[in-house]
């Protein structure tokens, strides 16, 4: 009886140990962590192309003040343009007149060159006009004060209006009629510089190209 009891007890222990082992294995299997899901790869950002700003076209008026002429500009027109670009007395209106002729002849680059010079000249002359109170004008042979006033004012200027030309005229003398009845200043000499009054808006008209008598 004792042997059977011992054998039975041994079998029970073995069975119990086996059950515990199975139970332990099951518990371990249940506690194994599941692998974390792989994150979806973030797509690389699409590069934004940098806008390319085209370089501005080269100015036909070079830094040295000369003009990059259109092909085929005739020599007489080139000489006329070069003389205009070298001038310090022409008004913007004078440059516009010449630019219009260049356009009509089929030379737009040359015309643009003249207009750019005219803009530069206008800024400089506006400053000068404010500082001096008038626009410098060099008397040409055949010019008279009355003719000059008529050119800028139109109509029939009065003696008082003509006497506004100055201030150098104040040093030349009093306006008097000559033997032909033309009012002039004693000492009104070609080559003398006078001032066209600012109130006459002299920058709005081309500089006279023929004597104003």
């Amino acid at each position: 009886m004792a042997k059977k009891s011992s054998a039975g007890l041994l079998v029970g222990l073995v069975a119990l140990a086996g059950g515990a082992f199975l139970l332990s294995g099951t518990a371990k299997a249940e506690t194994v962590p599941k692998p974390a899901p792989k994150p979806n790869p973030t797509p690389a950002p699409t590069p934004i192309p940098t806008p390319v700003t085209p370089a501005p076209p080269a100015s036909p008026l070079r830094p040295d003040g000369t003009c990059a002429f259109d092909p085929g500009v005739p020599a007489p027109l080139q000489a006329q343009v070069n003389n205009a670009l070298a001038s310090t007395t022409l008004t913007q209106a004078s440059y516009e007149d010449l630019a219009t002729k260049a356009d009509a002849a089929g030379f737009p680059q040359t015309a643009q060159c003249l207009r750019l010079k005219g803009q530069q000249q206008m800024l400089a002359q506006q400053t000068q006009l404010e500082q001096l109170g008038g626009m410098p004008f060099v008397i040409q042979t055949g010019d008279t004060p009355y003719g000059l006033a008529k050119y800028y004012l139109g109509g029939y200027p009065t003696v008082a209006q003509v006497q506004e030309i100055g201030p150098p005229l104040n040093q030349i003398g009093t306006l008097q009629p000559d033997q032909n009845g033309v009012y002039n200043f004693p000492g009104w000499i070609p080559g003398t510089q006078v001032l066209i009054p600012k109130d006459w808006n002299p920058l709005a008209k081309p500089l006279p190209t023929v004597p104003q008598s």
Side-chain angles (χ1 to χ4, degrees), residues 2-213:
K3 289 182 179 180
K4 288 183 178 180
S5 298
S6 299
L9 181 59
L10 182 60
V11 171
L13 291 172
V14 171
L16 183 61
F21 175 78
L22 290 174
L23 185 60
S24 173
T26 302
K28 287 181 179 179
E30 291 176 353
T31 58
V32 173
K34 295 181 180 180
K38 294 181 179 180
N40 293 328
T42 303
T46 304
I48 301 174
T50 303
V52 178
T53 304
S59 171
L61 183 62
R62 299 189 182 103
D64 63 358
T66 59
C67 183
F69 290 102
D70 303 83
V73 176
L77 180 56
Q78 286 193 30
Q80 193 175 5
V81 170
N82 286 334
N83 288 336
L85 295 179
S87 172
T88 58
T89 58
L90 291 181
T91 64
Q92 186 179 31
S94 300
Y95 287 102
E96 182 58 36
D97 276 358
L98 189 53
T100 300
K101 293 176 183 177
D103 267 333
F107 304 117
Q109 185 168 304
T110 303
Q112 178 64 7
C113 183
L114 289 162
R115 290 188 173 103
L116 290 172
K117 175 63 176 181
Q119 292 171 5
Q120 293 179 0
Q121 194 86 316
M122 171 65 82
L123 293 175
Q125 288 176 335
Q126 283 176 336
T127 301
Q128 185 182 56
L129 203 65
E130 294 300 323
Q131 292 175 342
L132 301 179
M135 184 186 76
F137 176 84
V138 177
I139 300 170
Q140 305 297 316
T141 301
D143 284 332
T144 67
Y146 179 81
L148 210 55
K150 186 175 181 180
Y151 175 79
Y152 284 103
L153 298 176
Y156 299 94
T158 65
V159 172
Q161 287 176 315
V162 174
Q163 287 178 321
E164 292 175 359
I165 301 174
L169 292 187
N170 298 331
Q171 303 169 12
I172 292 175
T174 304
L175 187 67
Q176 298 173 356
D178 61 16
Q179 66 274 16
N180 298 317
V182 176
Y183 278 85
N184 213 331
F185 288 92
W188 176 271
I189 302 170
T192 303
Q193 179 174 284
V194 294
L195 288 178
I196 307 300
K198 180 175 69 173
D199 294 343
W200 292 11
N201 197 17
L203 299 183
K205 299 193 72 171
L207 202 66
T209 55
V210 295
Q212 301 300 308
S213 58

